[in-house]
Amino acid sequence: MSRTFYVTTPIYYVNDVPHIGHAYTTLAADVLARYKRIMGYEVFFLTGTDEHGQKVEKAANAAGETPLELADRVVKRFQALWKKLDISSSDFIRTTQERHKKGVSHLFENVLAKGDIYLGEYEDWYCTPCETFWTETQLNDGKCPDCNRPTEKLKEESYFFRMSKYQERLLAHIEANPEFIQPKSRRNEIISFVKEGLRDLSVSRTTFNWGIPVPNNEAHVIYVWFDALANYITALGYPDEEGNYGRYWPVDVHLIGKDILRFHAVYWPTFLMAAGLPLPKKVFGHGWWTVEGQKMSKSLQNVVEPNMLIDRYGVDAVRYFLLREVPFGLDGDFSHASLVHRINSDLANDLGNLLNRSTAMVNKYFGGQVQEPEEPLEIDLAYRARSEAMVAQVEANMNDLAFSKALQSIWEVVSAGNKYIDETAPWTLAKDPAQRGRLATVMYSLLESQRIVYFLLSAFMPKTAVKALGYLGWEEAPTEAGLAWGGLKPGTAIVKAEALFPRIEDKGE
Ligand code: MSP
């Protein structure tokens, strides 16, 4: 039976253009998707845009466009960036698409028919930028507790979702499934939030109309988060059980930023419970990036634009940096200096040099041909064992979404390779004709270990991996079976590698 894996990113608001925060989640999902494909899974990787709601309507008004014109324009920016970032998504959902609107209406009607959505009246403090109602006690000096902007008192007829009914069931689910909400610290926050009590949730609006109408009551549009969260199933063809929905739901992991964890770990699962649908297996809330120590914001004009980074440093350097620099669950700081440092030390020095040295030596000593290795010595066996252990460590780390640790375990083997060269001193062996076999074995170990390194790295740095594997005489796509030691065949032609990552002079920006 084939194994499936479904991973999602949040769908991005079209009132903003993409920045490294958006690129980060999408990239993490891409690396996971690519890794699972190597491991033989049939992967569905979804991303897209969130195009309804008051925020988008307001931004469109300000720009003198219709909301759809704005969305059509901005969505291209996201799609172009994902292409440039080598994002291998299976589908891109826009909430203005018919398939989505149909699915959302169906979900809403389904929950309404079950009695868990009812018509009532709402009066509370509303934060327009966050599209969230707050109670008096939740406010900070009258301001929104999330964004600290002013709130206004609003009263409207509204449909409510009976979220309170699901409080105990949700809590029991979270407690019985430690994997469900990650990382652990965030899980604890959600547990406390749910224990404080869930109120019924307003799931429709009458004050604007840019959204999906409530079925049979067009004075209301469906609340933007009810609409947006449903993308994870509408993109699969929900409610049609055939095809992708039946095949991929429940999702293996929703990757999101910590700021939208509550929507994914409380609202979404309770909507699904009400609709009688299975819950996500895992929701992971990653940390936030600051820039040179400061919060990224338009007013500070410090928003890091991924296109510019890619043009300047190359796509794989950016991909590597974002996932290596900061453990996935934690906040991190972006700076040009640390990016340049990673490129020079990890990529140019450690990784690139190892490939250069080894492919140059096999060309010099054996005319660029892989030789049959001899009986290995202790030092060869230790190097091989490290390479094999790396495969298992990466597997464990990827399943924990510990991208940085996975890269660390790969780099331990890269460093071990550089050390292996120093210790075996091939240039000395080359001087002695009696050591030809020994030299062949050393060369074999070096090239074979790197072949496995680049198999794994193909999830993180696809272009670099293809290039490096090309030097190593490997043309096919990496597979799980190919991760076993011994795949490199004697006789293979090895090309002397050019620098994968030229060193960058840090101009201290
Ligand atoms: N449209 C909603 C999500 C709906 S999902 C059903 C939304 N969109 S967003 O465009 O505002 O944000 C999308 C993601 O970008 C969030 O996961 C958020 O955490 C992430 N980031 C925004 N700024 C960020 C940083 N500075 N650093 C890391 N991630 C950040 O929310």
Side-chain angles (χ1 to χ4, degrees):
M1 211 182 79
S2 71
R3 298 180 296 176
T4 61
F5 191 83
Y6 179 28
V7 55
T8 67
T9 75
I11 49 173
Y12 303 104
Y13 284 130
V14 287
N15 60 331
D16 201 359
V17 293
H19 56 61
I20 50 163
H22 307 126
Y24 186 50
T25 328
T26 312
L27 176 60
D30 183 63
V31 169
L32 192 59
R34 286 177 183 273
Y35 178 74
K36 290 290 177 183
R37 285 189 203 111
I38 298 172
M39 302 312 277
Y41 287 78
E42 272 184 45
V43 173
F44 198 88
F45 164 19
L46 179 67
T47 188
T49 41
D50 191 351
E51 305 187 358
H52 288 135
Q54 197 168 14
K55 237 197 272 210
V56 174
E57 192 181 73
K58 281 193 172 163
N61 287 342
E65 293 171 302
T66 66
L68 195 57
E69 281 166 353
L70 170 84
D72 284 344
R73 183 167 55 79
V74 177
V75 79
K76 292 199 188 94
R77 299 274 299 261
F78 278 96
Q79 286 170 334
L81 177 63
W82 299 155
K83 192 156 177 250
K84 193 160 171 169
L85 201 56
D86 271 338
I87 299 302
S88 63
S89 43
S90 322
D91 197 354
F92 187 103
I93 184 142
R94 300 181 57 181
T95 54
T96 48
Q97 288 166 337
E98 239 8 83
R99 58 172 175 161
H100 176 72
K101 294 195 262 185
K102 250 175 55 198
V104 170
S105 307
H106 185 93
L107 183 68
F108 195 95
E109 269 183 313
N110 178 351
V111 181
L112 188 77
K114 291 197 165 134
D116 282 341
I117 287 181
Y118 61 92
L119 192 59
E121 197 169 65
Y122 204 95
E123 184 173 20
D124 233 327
W125 297 95
Y126 190 65
C127 172
T128 306
C130 297
E131 312 201 54
T132 309
F133 272 106
W134 301 102
T135 59
E136 188 99 33
T137 50
Q138 286 173 317
L139 298 181
N140 274 341
D141 270 348
K143 300 215 173 102
C144 169
D146 269 359
C147 74
N148 212 31
R149 281 180 275 211
T151 53
E152 50 183 334
K153 192 99 179 206
L154 273 192
K155 184 174 183 170
E156 57 181 42
E157 185 189 68
S158 173
Y159 285 89
F160 285 87
F161 168 61
R162 240 180 261 288
M163 196 157 71
S164 56
K165 178 173 157 188
Y166 293 95
Q167 176 173 335
E168 292 313 317
R169 245 178 89 183
L170 178 63
L171 209 51
H173 183 83
I174 297 174
E175 278 168 356
N177 296 279
E179 291 280 299
F180 176 48
I181 302 173
Q182 294 205 357
K184 208 167 155 208
S185 55
R186 304 254 152 74
R187 174 174 181 262
N188 294 336
E189 282 167 26
I190 294 291
I191 292 178
S192 326
F193 175 80
V194 179
K195 279 189 174 157
E196 272 170 32
L198 295 183
R199 293 193 307 155
D200 287 356
L201 181 73
S202 163
V203 287
S204 78
R205 301 285 184 267
T206 51
T207 46
F208 62 91
N209 28 18
W210 181 236
I212 303 173
V214 165
N216 305 315
N217 189 351
E218 304 238 326
H220 292 252
V221 293
I222 294 175
Y223 172 46
V224 69
W225 274 100
F226 189 96
D227 167 343
L229 288 161
N231 90 86
Y232 300 129
I233 55 177
T234 61
L236 298 179
Y238 166 84
D240 184 0
E241 283 284 343
E242 298 290 307
N244 284 340
Y245 178 63
R247 186 164 176 69
Y248 290 105
W249 192 260
V251 68
D252 290 276
V253 58
H254 286 316
L255 296 183
I256 53 166
K258 61 179 183 177
D259 55 316
I260 54 174
L261 186 60
R262 196 188 302 158
F263 298 100
H264 285 80
V266 180
Y267 293 12
W268 180 225
T270 55
F271 297 163
L272 289 166
M273 281 176 179
L277 305 177
L279 304 195
K281 292 184 208 158
K282 192 186 287 190
V283 177
F284 194 106
H286 65 65
W288 266 47
W289 286 91
T290 51
V291 175
E292 316 271 352
Q294 279 184 309
K295 198 172 171 206
M296 197 165 44
S297 83
K298 276 188 201 156
S299 52
L300 289 174
Q301 297 195 319
N302 66 346
V303 175
V304 178
E305 214 282 294
N307 283 291
M308 175 276 288
L309 282 187
I310 298 170
D311 291 340
R312 189 152 157 197
Y313 301 108
V315 58
D316 281 350
V318 173
R319 288 176 62 110
Y320 173 76
F321 173 79
L322 289 176
L323 292 181
R324 174 64 186 90
E325 186 71 2
V326 181
F328 196 52
L330 303 182
D331 292 340
D333 187 49
F334 175 88
S335 74
H336 287 275
S338 41
L339 173 51
V340 167
H341 180 73
R342 287 270 173 211
I343 293 175
N344 287 343
S345 108
D346 300 7
L347 300 179
N349 266 3
D350 299 346
L351 187 72
N353 267 348
L354 178 59
L355 189 70
N356 284 0
R357 293 167 88 189
S358 14
T359 56
M361 287 189 292
V362 76
N363 273 279
K364 186 164 171 201
Y365 305 141
F366 293 111
Q369 254 203 7
V370 178
Q371 306 294 302
E372 189 77 51
E374 281 189 340
E375 215 29 53
L377 302 184
E378 199 59 42
I379 188 169
D380 313 321
L381 289 173
Y383 181 38
R384 170 177 170 168
R386 284 202 85 129
S387 308
E388 288 171 335
M390 159 184 74
V391 174
Q393 282 161 4
V394 168
E395 169 71 8
N397 289 324
M398 291 303 275
N399 287 331
D400 288 345
L401 304 176
F403 301 104
S404 181
K405 270 197 190 161
L407 287 168
Q408 231 171 304
S409 36
I410 297 174
W411 255 256
E412 277 166 23
V413 170
V414 170
S415 303
N418 280 316
K419 200 160 154 236
Y420 178 78
I421 296 184
D422 297 343
E423 287 175 0
T424 52
W427 45 89
T428 312
L429 298 174
K431 287 185 193 135
D432 180 357
Q435 298 284 356
R436 287 298 282 172
R438 180 74 204 118
L439 183 61
T441 311
V442 168
M443 288 296 120
Y444 185 88
S445 305
L446 275 172
L447 299 167
E448 177 59 346
S449 172
Q450 286 178 85
R451 186 188 62 80
I452 300 171
V453 159
Y454 287 104
F455 264 45
L456 296 172
L457 279 183
S458 67
F460 292 87
M461 303 195 284
K463 285 207 169 83
T464 303
V466 166
K467 210 158 137 191
L469 286 170
Y471 292 132
L472 297 173
W474 196 276
E475 304 293 338
E476 293 115 73
T479 57
E480 183 182 15
L483 288 168
W485 186 273
L488 185 63
K489 295 287 166 262
T492 305
I494 304 290
V495 180
K496 188 167 178 279
E498 283 170 23
L500 289 179
F501 295 93
R503 285 184 66 85
I504 294 179
E505 222 181 294
D506 186 2
K507 300 194 191 79
E509 279 170 88

